[in-house]
Amino acid sequence: MTPEELIALDDLAGEYVIGTLSWEQRQAVASRLRHEPILAAKVAQWEARLQPLADNVAPLEPSAQLWQRLNRTLSGVQRSVWRRCWDDIRFWRFTSGAVACAALFLSIALVVKLGTPPSPPRFVVVLASPQDKSPGWLLQVGTDKKLRLIPLKQQAPMEANKTLQLWTKADGWSGPVSLGLLKAGVPVEVSLENLPPLLPNQLFEITLEPPQGSPIDRPTGPILSIGRAVAT
């Protein structure tokens, strides 16, 4: 994904969270969130960024006159639509078919749900530069407990005496845990079998370390990219 595409995706996520999209556009974005982890992560970032502003705004109670106007308008619209549907035979044919399909799908869903244990949630993390907030890596963790780290942009060549190291830390841990060394711009897959289950808001970061990695069980170099896990 190019930097321009990432910027466009970030703008779309911001408009979705703020609420400036049309109803059709909003529905389209909502459907994409289920299978586009980068977009889902950016929506989560915008929500976290704007939530403090929402918390500081006191809710405004609509006036009694406004509620009365809304009730009159909606009641008139509902009666008009319902009368047209009641008199239309196509409406009843469609309703009968929809009920039959719903019953079929419900029975299938119940069989699948009762016969299959619930799957653990999947997580995504967009690791961004702490300086300019530009995304550098996409981290995904699936139900197979495999972590996949994917570069999102062209990485600058590493110095010969330096390397990248990936770390993670959840709330309550005594300190960060190293997930291994990285090569700039190269995807990597890491097993998380020996770690506790991933948690929402779990911290991930990439630091600049000596060639063999940090000599201690803590980062020693500057943070190049950082982000927190978002459940999808």
Side-chain angles (χ1 to χ4, degrees):
M1 183 171 288
T2 66
E4 291 77 13
E5 290 173 329
L6 286 172
I7 292 173
L9 210 60
D10 188 66
D11 292 342
L12 180 62
E15 291 184 84
Y16 176 79
V17 172
I18 294 172
T20 57
L21 297 176
S22 67
W23 173 253
E24 292 77 11
Q25 291 171 322
R26 185 172 181 81
Q27 291 298 101
V29 173
S31 65
R32 291 173 58 184
L33 293 177
R34 294 190 291 270
H35 53 80
E36 292 190 34
I38 299 180
L39 179 58
K42 287 189 172 294
V43 167
Q45 285 182 327
W46 270 101
E47 289 175 340
R49 189 183 308 169
L50 296 177
Q51 188 58 46
L53 297 177
D55 292 339
N56 290 328
V57 178
L60 181 62
E61 182 69 23
S63 65
Q65 293 81 3
L66 178 58
W67 279 121
Q68 292 172 1
R69 287 176 54 194
L70 287 173
N71 286 331
R72 286 196 300 269
T73 302
L74 293 176
S75 297
V77 171
Q78 290 171 347
R79 282 196 298 270
S80 176
V81 172
W82 176 246
R83 172 53 59 186
R84 288 199 301 269
C85 292
W86 183 272
D87 294 336
D88 193 340
I89 188 62
R90 292 172 299 177
F91 167 75
W92 293 107
R93 289 172 178 169
F94 173 79
T95 303
S96 301
V99 170
C101 290
L104 176 61
F105 284 127
L106 180 59
S107 62
I108 295 173
L110 287 173
V111 171
V112 172
K113 186 175 182 62
L114 294 175
T116 306
S119 300
R122 296 175 64 248
F123 292 89
V124 296
V125 186
V126 175
L127 295 166
S129 166
Q131 283 77 35
D132 59 10
K133 310 301 181 186
S134 62
W137 299 81
L138 173 67
L139 187 151
Q140 297 175 297
V141 179
T143 55
D144 56 358
K145 297 201 72 172
K146 293 288 182 66
L147 178 154
R148 296 169 180 85
L149 191 63
I150 306 165
L152 296 178
K153 65 180 180 181
Q154 188 70 31
Q155 307 270 336
M158 291 295 302
E159 302 175 36
N161 61 339
K162 295 291 182 181
T163 191
L164 302 177
Q165 191 163 0
L166 177 63
W167 306 83
T168 186
K169 182 181 182 300
D171 294 339
W173 291 13
S174 59
V177 173
S178 173
L179 297 178
L181 305 182
L182 311 173
K183 293 182 179 179
V186 178
V188 68
E189 183 175 284
V190 179
S191 174
L192 301 180
E193 288 292 340
N194 297 325
L195 289 181
L198 199 65
L199 299 173
N201 209 42
Q202 185 162 330
L203 179 69
F204 288 84
E205 63 182 28
I206 297 174
T207 59
L208 191 63
E209 302 292 344
Q212 304 304 317
S214 172
I216 59 176
D217 60 352
R218 297 288 190 278
T220 61
I223 298 175
L224 302 184
S225 297
I226 189 169
R228 291 187 177 273
V230 177
T232 61

